[in-house]
Amino acid sequence: MSRFKVPFLATAVGMSAALVSPVTNATRGLRRAMGAMPGAITGKYDDSPQYKDGAFQNRLPSYVVEVGGQGSMAIEFAKKGDVGRPAAPVPLVTPELPAQAADLAATWLGHATVLLEIAGNWVLLDPVWSDRVSPSATVGPKRSHPVPMELDGLPELAAVLISHDHYDHLDTATIDWLTEHQSVPFVVPLGIGQHLRRWNVPDDRIIELDWEQSHVLPSADGTDLTLTCTEARHFSGRGLTRNHTLWSSWVAAAGPAESRRRVFFGGDTGYTPAFKDIGADHGPFDLTVLPIGAYDARWADIHMNPPEAVQTHLDVRGGILLPIHWATFDLAFHSWAAPVEWLVEEAAAKGVTVALPRPGERFETDNIPTADWWRASAKAIRAS
């Protein structure tokens, strides 16, 4: 059973600031951004093995240490200064996208947002274009760099994958734009469909899956795109209640049987031995897309640190590792560049190949970026 006494900072800081702010702008649109009320979600998923006692559960016990409650956590975060932000502008690349999606390529757009190309399909992962990851447009964690491309620069997408409902992974304004300007289906874990319906996404564009369920997007040439919802170790919630929607990792597989491409997207997760089973059942993977940042001993069960990301990559039998969930939003207490520095050291020790693109830098797996571009933007390389 999962027990969370302190919400993770992506929601704790934004929610506490927004709810107590006397400024009208801070609360404008707050209710809509929070999505579906828990009562609209609870009680619909009794058939799921992950759903017990009115909430979704991790398969392993998962704790966050009590440190005095949400208010003191927000105060501690406010007092830490700008250690989690870059000292100089982050170098961005305006993506140069091909007319047709490649066999396998990726464009990291910051934090957990990735534009994936797999067997000619465009798949968008955890899209967040807003300036803040909060229910408020004026308070809460703010970007350390702009998004490298505008939403209207996106190609026609085959699918949008969402890992869970935290504000830094499920962004109301971005969902609104995609709903209006594309016909793409949203493939999500159980419960998140209720948020999407609250935001007027049509039912026929919402595909909700439990762990180990798949959805196939057929192709006329036989290179069907299969999206499989897989286990993660995290939690959910956009307000002060928790775990009314499920969280997940994802497997994307497409292409002819003899040259099928496979990508593993970790979303946001702590380490779990279940990744070995995912590797055995769905791997090996050409590319893994794994979180490395916003780690802390107080929430070690639900956020990986860089060595755990490397271990996850090995567990799922990955080829190239693309690190995400760092550099864009200041959501923890480590320094801005600490996650990538620690990752590079750990990956070298374990013989893991890491792609290190600048935000917006598209790469194919036969030509991966490896330059240490972040060092020019970092205050100093600090220990993790």
Side-chain angles (χ1 to χ4, degrees):
M1 179 180 294
S2 301
R3 175 171 59 86
F4 295 94
K5 293 186 177 181
V6 178
F8 178 60
L9 289 176
T11 51
V13 176
M15 280 299 302
S16 60
L19 291 173
V20 302
S21 173
V23 182
T24 302
N25 286 343
T27 57
R28 182 175 292 121
L30 181 69
R31 173 64 195 91
R32 184 173 185 273
M34 290 172 66
M37 294 295 289
I41 303 171
T42 302
K44 299 180 182 297
Y45 306 106
D46 291 333
D47 291 340
S48 170
Q50 283 59 253
Y51 193 77
K52 300 176 183 177
D53 302 322
F56 288 99
Q57 313 278 344
N58 285 305
R59 288 176 177 167
L60 293 178
S62 303
Y63 302 104
V64 173
V65 175
E66 176 109 46
V67 290
Q70 178 177 309
S72 69
M73 178 72 82
I75 291 168
E76 183 182 358
F77 190 81
K79 287 182 175 179
K80 79 183 184 69
D82 61 356
V83 65
R85 297 183 67 85
V90 176
L92 305 179
V93 177
T94 300
E96 296 183 3
L97 303 177
Q100 173 66 38
D103 188 43
L104 188 61
T107 305
W108 178 48
L109 297 171
H111 198 56
T113 302
V114 176
L115 180 59
L116 178 67
E117 302 169 52
I118 179 167
N121 298 281
W122 300 96
V123 180
L124 188 59
L125 313 179
D126 281 359
V128 175
W129 259 257
S130 288
D131 200 38
R132 294 184 185 272
V133 285
S134 165
S136 169
T138 59
V139 295
K142 183 179 173 62
R143 285 185 174 274
S144 296
H145 65 80
V147 188
M149 67 180 294
E150 299 297 328
L151 276 162
D152 60 11
L154 288 171
E156 190 64 30
L157 302 168
V160 171
L161 287 183
I162 303 294
S163 64
H164 66 298
D165 73 358
H166 286 159
Y167 292 97
D168 57 323
H169 296 258
L170 179 63
D171 176 43
T172 311
T174 303
I175 297 297
D176 286 344
W177 191 96
L178 291 168
T179 300
E180 179 179 357
H181 296 279
Q182 295 231 7
S183 58
V184 60
F186 297 90
V187 187
V188 302
L190 294 178
I192 292 180
Q194 296 297 341
H195 292 314
L196 301 181
R197 292 179 185 96
R198 162 77 176 165
W199 301 329
N200 300 316
V201 177
D203 276 345
D204 62 1
R205 291 177 59 183
I206 300 171
I207 298 147
E208 290 185 86
L209 300 177
D210 201 351
W211 293 347
E212 294 307 321
Q213 292 181 339
S214 297
H215 179 73
V216 178
L217 295 168
S219 171
D221 61 4
T223 60
D224 297 352
L225 172 63
T226 301
L227 303 171
T228 303
C229 185
T230 47
E231 185 172 348
R233 191 181 183 194
H234 200 55
F235 72 114
S236 66
R238 295 175 73 83
L240 300 179
T241 59
R242 294 287 171 266
N243 300 345
H244 291 290
T245 65
L246 185 59
W247 46 94
S248 73
S249 58
W250 288 96
V251 171
E258 64 275 11
S259 59
R260 196 157 177 80
R261 294 296 197 175
R262 294 177 175 86
V263 175
F264 179 68
F265 172 45
D268 200 358
T269 180
Y271 177 76
T272 168
F275 292 138
K276 293 181 180 178
D277 296 328
I278 292 172
D281 293 342
H282 302 285
F285 294 96
D286 303 285
L287 178 70
T288 67
V289 181
L290 296 173
I292 65 166
Y295 50 81
D296 190 283
R298 287 167 287 190
W299 49 80
D301 286 346
I302 49 87
H303 263 195
M304 292 196 294
N305 61 32
E308 290 168 328
V310 169
Q311 186 59 55
T312 297
H313 176 84
L314 295 171
D315 285 354
V316 300
R317 300 188 292 157
I320 296 166
L321 192 164
L322 171 61
I324 59 167
H325 212 273
W326 76 282
T328 306
F329 297 108
D330 184 8
L331 302 176
F333 297 97
H334 55 65
S335 65
W336 179 73
V340 70
E341 288 289 339
W342 196 2
L343 175 73
V344 168
E345 178 182 347
E346 186 70 17
K350 297 294 178 63
V352 168
T353 301
V354 178
L356 298 167
R358 295 164 291 176
E361 184 175 3
R362 177 184 180 271
F363 70 92
E364 299 191 29
T365 53
D366 59 354
N367 186 24
I368 65 169
T370 58
D372 54 359
W373 56 265
W374 61 89
R375 292 191 168 177
S377 299
K379 290 179 175 59
I381 305 304
R382 304 183 183 215
S384 57

